[in-house]
Amino acid sequence: MPLDPKRTVAELKELRSLTGDENGAQRVAWTDTWLRAREWFAKKLAELSVEHHYDAAGNNWATLAGESKKSLILGGHLDSVPNGGWLDGALNVLAALEVLRRFASEFNGRPPVTIRLVDWADEEGARFGRSLLGSSAFAGTHSISADRVRTDRNGIKMEDVLRRCGVEMDRFADAGKERQNAAAYLELHIEQGPVLEQLGLPLAVVLGTKGVERHGITFHGQEAHSGSTPMNARRDALAAAAKLALEIRNIARKHPDAVCTMGSLKTFPGIVTAVVGRCEATLDQRDLDARILARMFQEAQDASRRFAEEEKCTVEWSRIWNIEPVPFHPALLELCEQAVREVSGKSHRMPSGPLHDAAEVSRAGIPAVMMFVQSLGGISHNRIEDTREEHLEMSVVALDRLASKTVDWILPT
Ligand SMILES: [Zn+2]
């Protein structure tokens, strides 16, 4: 079976009609629709002579044994957000399937190295707020005690939901066994942003996933009557927060790929007749360079204190979450660059703002790289998420080329 990128597009459409509705993809992890998607996928795998099993964290593995035990892993995720897009995660899995088919036929079922496909469990974290669940179990970066008590919006415990799908959280760490002999990891993904469309490029090499600093910032002023309090006597917590909301744009703009977002702002008492006495904001800062990220974090803190002082307020910070930047493997970046050039003529290197399973794999010390394919309108996690079919097909060809190059790279090492 030679590589057939058109089949990937057809299978993506098949999956869409099986697991989507008029609002988009409904493959939220641990739901019946997700299980249906996995069943459908298992039937596709059954047509190939590959070993197939679910690991202790619910990740789905298909293995085509090669001459060498060293394995090349191709990954993606069939789960989606509610009302999600048809490509996010699913393209990766189905393109990987096509590459697996090609290896199986080209080498008479026995490629030079072992080729593995993984469909990660619960990449999105849509139901329990815990992203990269399966891949973190694989990587050994998982913290079970913090996660087992998570509940969904109906108060149903994560532990119970997973058990219903045959996954015992106590055994999560066993998924780490799958790391054995892993020599490299590749992941194709839609960009989910507008950059490649703006540049007029179908494909890009992903340099790594950006580190994230995520904090809560509370400004304290003084609640006061909106009619009786003169302007010069106010301690307006919102004024200080508003200055910071504008300043973070300057902080981010000093660096080409940095982003800073104030995504939430709450005022108290939050009524039309009172000066804001307390203002709670959130800040999300991202960059691929750890030093830049640290500098931006420091600058935001300094600015918040300056604005608090100007407005006769005080400010406190509390960390919500953070993760370090994860740069991908230099040798694989080079191979990815070659593959992208061969297929589309031009290449572009860019960091990923969103996190992906590849970051967890890389944190486990396994050489990893990702490839992006253009997203139309930069929209994702939505039913209008889309990519031109010719670009989808190019991405399958490019992933296939990258896989071959990576096999050659694994062999002598
Ligand atoms: Zn994804």
Coordinates of all heavy atoms in Angstrom, one line a residue, residues 76-77 79-80 87-90 92 123-124 132 187-190 192 354-357 370 380-381 385, ligand 1:
G76 N -0.8 11.4 18.4 CA -1.9 12.3 18.3 C -3.0 12.0 19.3 O -2.7 11.2 20.2
H77 N -4.1 12.7 19.2 CA -5.2 12.4 20.1 C -6.5 12.5 19.5 O -6.8 13.4 18.8 CB -5.1 13.4 21.3 CG -5.2 14.8 21.0 ND1 -6.5 15.5 21.0 CD2 -4.3 15.7 20.5 CE1 -6.3 16.7 20.6 NE2 -5.0 16.9 20.3
D79 N -9.3 12.6 21.2 CA -10.3 13.4 22.0 C -10.3 14.8 21.5 O -9.4 15.3 20.9 CB -10.0 13.3 23.5 CG -8.8 14.1 23.9 OD1 -7.7 13.8 23.3 OD2 -8.9 15.0 24.8
S80 N -11.5 15.5 21.7 CA -11.6 16.9 21.3 C -12.2 17.6 22.5 O -12.6 17.1 23.5 CB -12.6 16.9 20.1 OG -13.9 16.7 20.5
L87 N -10.2 18.6 13.1 CA -8.8 18.2 12.8 C -7.9 18.2 14.0 O -6.9 17.4 14.0 CB -8.2 19.3 11.8 CG -9.0 19.4 10.4 CD1 -8.5 20.6 9.7 CD2 -8.7 18.1 9.6
D88 N -8.2 18.9 15.0 CA -7.3 19.0 16.2 C -7.1 17.6 16.8 O -8.1 17.1 17.3 CB -8.0 20.0 17.2 CG -7.1 20.2 18.5 OD1 -6.0 19.5 18.5 OD2 -7.5 20.9 19.4
G89 N -5.9 17.1 16.7 CA -5.6 15.8 17.3 C -5.9 14.7 16.3 O -5.1 13.7 16.2
A90 N -7.1 14.7 15.7 CA -7.5 13.6 14.8 C -6.6 13.5 13.5 O -6.2 12.4 13.1 CB -8.9 13.8 14.4
N92 N -3.5 14.2 13.4 CA -2.2 13.6 13.8 C -2.4 12.1 13.8 O -1.5 11.3 13.3 CB -1.8 14.0 15.2 CG -2.3 15.4 15.6 OD1 -3.0 16.0 14.8 ND2 -2.0 15.8 16.8
E123 N -6.0 14.4 25.9 CA -5.0 15.5 25.7 C -5.7 16.8 26.1 O -5.0 17.7 26.7 CB -4.7 15.5 24.2 CG -3.5 16.5 23.9 CD -3.9 17.9 23.6 OE1 -5.1 18.2 23.5 OE2 -3.0 18.8 23.6
E124 N -6.9 17.0 25.8 CA -7.6 18.3 26.0 C -7.9 18.7 27.4 O -7.9 19.8 27.8 CB -8.9 18.4 25.1 CG -8.7 18.2 23.6 CD -8.1 19.4 23.0 OE1 -7.8 20.4 23.6 OE2 -7.9 19.3 21.7
L132 N -3.2 17.0 28.8 CA -2.0 16.1 28.6 C -2.0 15.0 29.6 O -0.9 14.6 30.1 CB -0.7 16.9 28.7 CG -0.6 18.2 27.8 CD1 0.8 18.8 28.0 CD2 -0.9 17.9 26.4
E187 N 5.1 14.4 15.9 CA 3.6 14.8 16.0 C 3.3 15.9 15.0 O 3.9 16.9 15.0 CB 3.3 15.2 17.4 CG 1.8 15.5 17.6 CD 1.5 15.8 19.1 OE1 2.2 15.3 20.0 OE2 0.6 16.6 19.3
L188 N 2.3 15.6 14.1 CA 1.8 16.5 13.2 C 0.6 17.2 13.8 O -0.2 16.5 14.5 CB 1.4 15.8 11.9 CG 0.6 16.6 10.9 CD1 1.4 17.7 10.3 CD2 0.0 15.6 9.8
H189 N 0.4 18.5 13.7 CA -0.8 19.1 14.3 C -1.2 20.3 13.4 O -0.3 20.9 12.7 CB -0.4 19.6 15.7 CG -1.6 19.7 16.6 ND1 -2.5 20.7 16.5 CD2 -2.0 18.9 17.6 CE1 -3.5 20.5 17.5 NE2 -3.2 19.4 18.1
I190 N -2.4 20.7 13.5 CA -2.8 21.9 12.8 C -2.3 23.1 13.7 O -2.1 22.9 14.9 CB -4.4 22.1 12.7 CG1 -5.1 21.8 14.1 CG2 -4.9 21.2 11.6 CD1 -6.5 22.3 14.1
Q192 N -3.5 26.0 14.6 CA -4.5 26.6 15.5 C -4.3 28.1 15.7 O -4.8 28.6 16.7 CB -4.4 25.9 16.9 CG -4.7 24.4 16.8 CD -4.6 23.7 18.2 OE1 -3.5 23.5 18.7 NE2 -5.8 23.4 18.8
P354 N 0.2 26.9 22.2 CA -0.5 25.8 22.9 C 0.4 24.7 23.3 O 1.4 24.5 22.6 CB -1.5 25.3 21.8 CG -1.7 26.3 20.8 CD -0.3 27.1 20.8
L355 N 0.1 24.0 24.4 CA 0.9 22.9 24.8 C 0.4 21.7 23.9 O -0.7 21.6 23.5 CB 0.7 22.6 26.2 CG 1.5 23.5 27.2 CD1 0.9 23.4 28.6 CD2 3.0 23.0 27.2
H356 N 1.3 20.7 23.8 CA 1.0 19.5 23.1 C 1.6 18.3 23.8 O 2.6 18.5 24.5 CB 1.4 19.5 21.6 CG 0.7 20.6 20.8 ND1 -0.5 20.4 20.4 CD2 1.1 21.8 20.3 CE1 -0.9 21.5 19.7 NE2 0.1 22.3 19.6
D357 N 1.1 17.1 23.5 CA 1.7 15.9 24.1 C 3.2 15.8 23.8 O 3.9 15.2 24.6 CB 0.9 14.6 23.5 CG -0.5 14.6 23.9 OD1 -0.8 14.7 25.2 OD2 -1.4 14.5 23.1
M370 N 7.7 18.5 16.3 CA 6.4 18.6 15.7 C 6.4 19.4 14.4 O 7.3 20.2 14.2 CB 5.5 19.4 16.7 CG 5.1 18.7 17.9 SD 3.9 19.7 18.9 CE 2.4 19.6 17.9
S380 N -9.5 27.4 16.0 CA -9.5 26.0 16.4 C -10.4 25.9 17.6 O -10.9 26.9 18.2 CB -8.0 25.6 16.7 OG -8.0 24.2 17.1
H381 N -10.5 24.7 18.1 CA -11.4 24.4 19.2 C -12.8 24.9 18.9 O -13.5 25.5 19.8 CB -10.9 25.0 20.5 CG -9.8 24.2 21.1 ND1 -9.3 24.3 22.4 CD2 -9.1 23.1 20.6 CE1 -8.3 23.5 22.6 NE2 -8.2 22.7 21.5
E385 N -13.2 25.3 12.6 CA -11.8 24.9 12.4 C -11.7 24.2 11.1 O -12.4 23.3 10.8 CB -11.4 24.0 13.6 CG -10.1 23.3 13.4 CD -9.9 22.3 14.5 OE1 -9.7 22.7 15.6 OE2 -10.0 21.1 14.2
Ligands
ZN1 ZN -4.5 19.0 19.8

